[in-house]
Amino acid sequence: MKRVYGFNEGGKELIDILGGKGGNLAEMKRIGLPIPEGIIVSTTACKEFFRDGKKITSELEKEILEKLEYLQEVTGKKFEGNNPLLVSVRSGAPISMPGMMDTILNLGLNDVTAEKMSKIFNDEIFVHELYTRFIQMFSEIVMGIEKELFFSLKEKLFAERKDEPKIDTYKLIIKKSKELYKEKTGLNFPESAKEQLFMAVNAIFNSWENERAILYRKINGIDDSMGTAVVIQEMVFGNRNDKSGTGVAFSRNPSNGENELFGEYLLKAQGEDIVAGIRTPEPIARLHEQLPEIYDEFARLAKVLENHNKDMQDIEFTIEDGKLYLLQTRNGKRSPYAAVKIAVDMVHEGILSKEEAIMKVDPNVLPQLLHGNFDPEAVKKATLLGKGLPGSAGVAIGRVMFASERVETRALAILVREETSPEDIKGISQAQGIVTVKGGATSHGAVVARGMGKCCVTGCGEIQINDIKREMYINGHTVKEGDFISISGYTGEIFLGKVKLTEPKFDDNLKEFVSWCKEIKRLGVRMNADTPADAFLGKGFGAEGIGLCRTEHMFFQKEKIWTIRSMIMSSNPVEREEALKKMLDLQREDFYNIFKVVDGQVVIIRLLDPPLHEFLPKEEKDKEKMASILNLPLIEIERRIRNLKDENPMLGHRGCRLAVTYPEIYNTQARGVIEAALQCKREGINVKPEIMIPLIIGVGELKFIKQNITAEINKVFEEQGMSIEYKIGTMMETPRACLLADDIAKEAEFFSFGTNDLTQTTMGLSRDDSVKFIDDYHTHGIFKLEPFASIDVRGVGKLVKLGATLGREANPKLEIGICGEHGGDPKSIDFFEKTGLDYVSCSPFRILVAIVAAAQSHIRNK
């Protein structure tokens, strides 16, 4: 089994084995680009490492040494030879995880090689600065010693010895750093380059399981089992002299999508300086002034890579003494706005087909495009605190938090940090937006924010943070932790307080992109909408009708809730009839207004399915008001509340069970639907009502209720002397219904799988209570995905597939869809596409996600 590869073996087709970094470097070598040579320890070796108890086997050591011979031959350098080979050792997972794992630079240095290199470069200070940096990085990454100890040591010795020769101070720093290493580990600092290398590979493999990497994979749905490759690459030195530097640049602007070079660089620096955000770098455009030939060559190579990979590229580069080297390329993280613009532009430029462009956009980040922007008039009146660099497009409003661990205590938070580090990944994922004092638009915080679709402002050097007082000072203003600020990732501006937002709207690029997705997708995409406002919003986002209108939600408005409370708490037909009359008037008006909004599209109306506890009065004043409405003593109201209380509300007296006990409830609702539809018909509005009966467990309930509401509907037709086409179907949300779908389909015109409740009833998990322990299931690998967010394909999905298959066998005309949170989840949508469902239905703000995911799934599966 092959475990170690040279850059001359393979290319990006082997990314699963070589990792993203290694595969792309091999690809760049294949097409003749200037890269430092190297070798790759594969993900196969990483998996073996963990399988063998986190040990590098003798077989792997042997393979690494054999490939090291190849590296020494092609570079003309040798570990600890007269022309010493120094290498970087870097992680490289198959899927980009920026900053989550570890890197070691300048490996191979010891006292002997430092002296040899000093003669080669004729620069002792340069070499010993590399040596100092190597000891610090190696100690931190391999042995877990805090880097601040080394920074403090260096600072202290230079301060004490400011009149001494600089080289002597560097040599003393190296000596003291090794003593610190021994003090902390009980071991001597390794002098052998090969020992350093094996220890570094071991550490990089282990970093696959560090806390921040695990959390990043969980947040982004990355498979824990893929492992990381390790890239061992010849060092080139961006800190060598004034004609040397390092940078990160994108072939297009990752924030706004403009077709222009976008990036940053530092002269006399090494790569980690810029990526870590320790120093605020220069914009790439300035390189044209300082090193114009290098700039022109880089611009040319960036376009070569973009055209070759058919995507915007994120490129790390180093300049050593006037020579350009590319260290890495990958498809760049970008803001949601930029993702759409780049995809559309590349189709117009002939680089991508429409199908290829659709596959370039992550549907999960598209809701960020619907958050609008700051109102221009509100901006004029707002207090501008300061301005940084626009790190990731979007706007955010939240309370200032200076520590990641405190972000989770606030529903709306803006994380403000000197500079973010990989340890901040949880805080970044939970924050509305990020602000950093240091770092540029290619620093860790900005890259991760773009990948998550978060707004980010970087490099706002005007901010001073006081961690002890938990406040920041900026241009004469003091902002305390917990105060609101508003930030713009479009402009880099930071405002005090809450700035009013504009309404979200589609720009021309998004309209065009969504139109392509609609052309290509097969699945219908409908919305869950309970009010005319929801329906208007969802239709504007591209919904093709309403897949779920929850009639009980119409009563959550304060002035309406008393009507449904009166109906629920009625204890005899007379009381209930009075409440139902009021309910009919309200529902008829609501249905009419919704039908008007979605003129010509299907509206599926789910009849009442209230867990009664959600509607019963709880406060004393509400109980007293209920007593007044029903003209009953308070003690009687309290008695009825006790009698209506279910021990298990989600499996209690709800859904179709209410209609079996009280048929008049669903009859009244059906009358309201049809009367509203007939009113629309008279006004020339095209209405397609479909009535859905919830929570059935077999055909008996459906037949009984269908017979009653059909009779009521026919009465309405007789009374009004006109009729309308309608359908009656059912919600499939119990395992028994799925198992008996062939019986049910003979009475139903459509199925809608209610996968929220189907997940609860199949898995025996409460959506509300499982949050107390679900994280433990993720931690121990029992669940890879949150079952209420992404469908459990092997269990719940099997019931959906069975129900759909049985239903269509019994009724070939049966329309089948799903409604619930899974309708807006790309992974679930992929399953529904493969299963052959007709549509999905989701909340209005997930419509864009569903449309794009449906198109992507159809492209993948057709």
Side-chain angles (χ1 to χ4, degrees):
M1 181 191 295
K2 191 175 181 66
R3 300 175 182 85
V4 188
Y5 295 73
F7 283 1
N8 60 335
E9 299 174 286
K12 62 181 181 179
E13 75 281 356
L14 294 182
I15 273 175
D16 285 348
I17 296 169
L18 305 181
K21 195 173 277 128
N24 283 318
L25 279 163
E27 187 73 13
M28 285 196 282
K29 180 174 176 65
R30 178 187 280 171
I31 62 174
L33 300 186
I35 61 167
E37 283 287 353
I39 62 176
I40 306 154
V41 186
S42 67
T43 59
T44 308
C46 180
K47 291 170 188 173
E48 286 184 352
F49 172 82
F50 286 109
R51 189 193 66 199
D52 296 337
K54 298 186 179 181
K55 292 177 184 173
I56 293 180
T57 61
S58 56
E59 291 91 344
L60 180 55
E61 282 193 7
K62 184 182 175 186
E63 275 198 61
I64 290 173
L65 290 174
E66 285 173 359
K67 273 288 178 270
L68 197 57
E69 290 297 323
Y70 154 80
L71 181 57
Q72 292 177 143
E73 184 180 327
V74 294
T75 60
K77 301 175 183 177
K78 190 172 182 180
F79 264 4
E80 300 179 57
N82 289 327
N83 185 10
L85 172 66
L86 299 190
V87 295
S88 62
V89 184
R90 302 195 288 173
S91 62
I95 294 176
S96 175
M97 296 170 56
M100 294 303 110
M101 291 175 292
D102 295 327
T103 293
I104 299 170
L105 303 179
N106 310 319
L107 186 142
L109 274 166
N110 56 33
D111 292 344
V112 175
T113 54
E115 290 306 317
K116 289 178 179 176
M117 289 186 66
S118 294
K119 291 174 183 172
I120 291 169
F121 285 109
N122 193 27
D123 190 339
E124 276 192 295
I125 290 175
F126 162 66
V127 172
H128 284 79
E129 199 278 329
L130 295 178
Y131 196 0
T132 304
R133 186 184 291 236
F134 166 59
I135 294 171
Q136 173 260 305
M137 292 183 87
F138 186 92
S139 301
E140 179 195 2
I141 302 305
V142 178
M143 305 304 289
I145 305 171
E146 300 93 331
K147 62 185 174 185
E148 286 76 14
L149 295 175
F150 295 93
F151 292 155
S152 298
L153 174 66
K154 181 179 176 182
E155 203 173 85
K156 175 174 174 287
L157 288 174
F158 268 119
E160 290 175 352
R161 297 168 55 85
K162 58 187 176 193
D163 296 326
E164 301 292 325
K166 203 170 185 181
I167 185 59
D168 292 345
T169 303
Y170 266 119
K171 287 180 178 179
L172 183 59
I173 291 168
I174 289 164
K175 179 174 179 290
K176 293 290 185 184
S177 295
K178 289 183 178 180
E179 289 172 3
L180 177 59
Y181 181 94
K182 185 165 186 177
E183 176 193 328
K184 293 294 181 182
T185 66
L187 303 168
N188 291 322
F189 190 85
E191 295 294 325
S192 161
K194 289 175 183 174
E195 184 184 355
Q196 293 171 2
L197 180 61
F198 292 134
M199 290 175 73
V201 171
N202 185 90
I204 300 300
F205 279 159
N206 273 315
S207 72
W208 177 253
E209 290 196 342
N210 69 37
E211 188 178 339
R212 64 179 185 260
I214 291 169
L215 182 59
Y216 186 90
R217 292 197 295 273
K218 180 181 175 183
I219 292 167
N220 292 281
I222 297 171
D223 185 359
D224 283 327
S225 67
M226 66 173 57
T228 183
V230 179
V231 175
I232 301 165
Q233 190 173 20
E234 175 193 8
M235 282 297 305
V236 286
F237 304 106
N239 56 338
R240 182 170 173 185
N241 55 30
D242 291 336
K243 291 193 294 179
S244 302
T246 186
V248 178
F250 297 80
S251 57
R252 301 189 187 219
N253 188 311
S255 186
N256 62 28
E258 291 297 328
N259 189 0
E260 62 189 10
L261 268 187
F262 177 92
E264 297 159 333
Y265 73 100
L266 285 166
L267 293 183
K268 294 196 76 172
Q270 285 198 302
E272 285 302 293
D273 296 336
I274 190 165
V275 175
I278 295 166
R279 292 166 59 188
T280 299
E282 297 281 356
I284 193 75
R286 274 216 67 204
L287 187 61
H288 192 266
E289 300 169 19
Q290 293 183 307
L291 299 170
E293 291 179 5
I294 294 291
Y295 177 89
D296 291 343
E297 185 184 2
F298 180 80
R300 181 182 67 80
L301 295 178
K303 280 303 168 192
V304 168
L305 282 169
E306 183 177 273
N307 290 328
H308 183 78
N309 291 310
K310 301 178 84 170
D311 206 342
M312 182 263 277
Q313 294 298 288
D314 172 358
I315 307 162
E316 289 183 26
F317 65 93
T318 285
I319 308 154
E320 183 184 320
D321 196 25
K323 184 174 180 182
L324 175 66
Y325 294 91
L326 304 184
L327 305 186
Q328 176 183 342
T329 193
R330 59 189 172 196
N331 295 338
K333 302 285 186 186
R334 63 208 75 179
S335 73
Y337 179 87
V340 173
K341 177 169 173 51
I342 290 168
V344 171
D345 285 351
M346 284 190 166
V347 171
H348 293 162
E349 293 163 22
I351 297 172
L352 298 175
S353 67
K354 288 180 183 178
E355 288 83 357
E356 288 171 328
I358 288 169
M359 299 305 291
K360 298 290 185 185
V361 176
D362 177 2
N364 282 307
V365 301
L366 291 176
Q368 297 292 323
L369 294 175
L370 308 179
H371 292 171
N373 203 338
F374 292 139
D375 184 291
E377 292 304 312
V379 167
K380 289 177 186 175
K381 299 172 187 173
T383 301
L384 178 65
L385 293 174
K387 190 171 182 180
L389 302 171
S392 180
V395 293
I397 300 169
R399 296 180 185 273
V400 170
M401 290 289 138
F402 297 114
S404 284
E405 60 269 20
R406 294 197 290 275
V407 167
E408 59 192 285
T409 66
R410 293 286 188 179
L412 293 171
I414 304 286
L415 179 63
V416 180
R417 301 282 281 152
E418 191 80 17
E419 72 241 4
T420 61
S421 72
E423 280 69 29
D424 288 313
I425 182 66
K426 188 171 185 181
I428 293 172
S429 72
Q430 293 177 327
Q432 301 298 304
I434 301 95
V435 175
T436 67
V437 180
K438 296 180 180 176
T442 58
S443 61
H444 168 266
V447 172
V448 173
R450 280 195 293 273
M452 292 183 178
K454 302 273 185 179
C455 168
C456 180
V457 174
T458 62
C460 186
E462 298 162 328
I463 294 174
Q464 289 181 295
I465 297 173
N466 186 326
D467 284 320
I468 296 171
K469 290 187 174 181
R470 293 192 184 179
E471 56 191 30
M472 69 179 186
Y473 316 114
I474 175 170
N475 293 324
H477 296 273
T478 297
V479 180
K480 297 180 182 295
E481 187 165 83
D483 290 350
F484 274 98
I485 61 171
S486 302
I487 65 173
S488 170
Y490 300 113
T491 64
E493 291 172 314
I494 303 168
F495 298 97
L496 185 64
K498 302 178 186 178
V499 177
K500 183 183 175 185
L501 295 170
T502 58
E503 288 295 314
K505 59 183 179 181
F506 278 25
D507 70 6
D508 291 340
N509 286 319
L510 187 55
K511 285 177 186 173
E512 187 169 9
F513 183 78
V514 170
S515 74
W516 298 342
C517 293
K518 284 189 159 188
E519 284 172 22
I520 286 165
K521 73 179 179 63
R522 183 197 62 82
L523 271 172
V525 176
R526 299 177 183 175
M527 63 180 132
N528 301 341
D530 311 320
T531 66
D534 288 344
F536 183 80
L537 189 64
K539 188 174 183 181
F541 293 153
E544 301 152 337
I546 295 176
L548 176 63
C549 177
R550 294 158 289 203
T551 50
E552 66 276 3
H553 284 201
M554 295 172 163
F555 293 98
F556 280 139
Q557 296 171 33
K558 192 171 183 180
E559 68 276 10
K560 293 182 178 180
I561 198 166
W562 297 103
T563 303
I564 196 167
R565 280 177 173 169
S566 300
M567 187 272 293
I568 288 169
M569 297 192 68
S570 301
S571 63
N572 60 66
V574 175
E575 287 180 0
R576 191 168 298 110
E577 184 179 355
E578 187 62 32
L580 286 172
K581 281 180 185 175
K582 292 180 184 175
M583 191 173 91
L584 174 60
D585 292 339
L586 290 173
Q587 295 255 274
R588 186 195 303 113
E589 183 182 1
D590 283 338
F591 296 142
Y592 168 74
N593 288 327
I594 286 174
F595 289 150
K596 282 204 303 182
V597 172
V598 297
D599 185 7
Q601 296 180 325
V602 169
V603 179
I604 297 180
I605 296 164
R606 184 179 75 184
L607 301 183
L608 275 173
D609 183 25
L612 297 184
H613 70 286
E614 292 182 7
F615 290 92
L616 295 175
K618 298 174 181 64
E619 303 290 331
E620 195 67 23
K621 61 180 176 54
D622 290 338
K623 293 176 185 177
E624 290 170 358
K625 183 171 180 177
M626 194 76 258
S628 173
I629 290 170
L630 293 178
N631 196 25
L632 292 169
L634 181 61
I635 193 168
E636 174 62 14
I637 294 297
E638 289 174 336
R639 185 189 69 79
R640 292 187 186 187
I641 289 172
R642 285 195 300 273
N643 289 344
L644 286 166
K645 185 177 183 294
D646 286 323
E647 292 302 322
N648 189 340
M650 297 310 291
L651 298 178
H653 196 194
R654 58 174 281 217
C656 65
R657 297 157 196 176
L658 276 176
V660 171
T661 308
Y662 308 118
E664 61 269 28
I665 294 175
Y666 278 11
N667 291 352
T668 300
Q669 286 197 289
R671 173 176 280 273
V673 171
I674 297 304
E675 286 182 354
L678 291 174
Q679 184 180 347
C680 286
K681 184 178 180 179
R682 280 192 290 270
E683 296 175 13
I685 299 166
N686 185 9
V687 187
K688 298 178 181 178
E690 299 187 2
I691 297 171
M692 182 158 67
I693 298 165
L695 210 70
I696 68 162
I697 56 173
V699 72
E701 292 163 314
L702 180 59
K703 285 177 76 171
F704 174 77
I705 295 167
K706 180 182 175 183
Q707 181 180 326
N708 288 332
I709 63 175
T710 301
E712 188 70 25
I713 288 168
N714 287 334
K715 279 187 200 174
V716 177
F717 289 162
E718 284 181 32
E719 291 165 7
Q720 300 207 11
M722 62 188 299
S723 64
I724 195 166
E725 288 188 11
Y726 67 94
K727 289 182 180 179
I728 295 177
T730 187
M731 209 162 180
M732 305 288 281
E733 46 194 334
T734 66
R736 190 174 190 268
C738 296
L739 294 168
L740 301 176
D742 46 350
D743 288 341
I744 296 167
K746 293 168 187 171
E747 291 291 330
E749 293 175 273
F750 66 88
F751 282 174
S752 178
F753 287 93
T755 55
N756 293 344
D757 269 344
L758 186 58
T759 297
Q760 290 195 109
T761 55
T762 302
M763 302 183 81
L765 284 175
S766 162
R767 264 186 298 173
D768 301 319
D769 296 328
S770 62
V771 296
K772 299 171 187 173
F773 56 82
I774 208 84
D775 278 350
D776 298 324
Y777 275 59
H778 291 299
T779 300
H780 298 302
I782 298 167
F783 285 164
K784 288 190 175 178
L785 297 170
E786 161 61 59
F788 292 107
S790 196
I791 194 165
D792 163 42
V793 171
R794 296 187 67 232
V796 179
K798 194 174 286 186
L799 284 171
V800 171
K801 197 168 186 177
L802 176 66
T805 302
L806 291 175
R808 285 218 171 102
E809 285 174 356
N811 179 359
K813 294 182 179 179
L814 190 72
E815 183 184 52
I816 305 176
I818 80 106
C819 56
E821 293 308 306
H822 296 135
D825 169 57
K827 286 187 173 68
S828 303
I829 288 169
D830 196 52
F831 169 75
F832 301 136
E833 168 74 22
K834 291 173 184 173
T835 306
L837 301 194
D838 296 307
Y839 70 87
V840 297
S841 187
C842 57
S843 64
F845 280 101
R846 300 294 289 175
I847 295 293
L848 270 186
V849 175
I851 290 171
V852 177
Q856 290 180 344
S857 183
H858 189 58
I859 291 166
R860 274 194 298 270
N861 293 302
K862 70 179 179 180

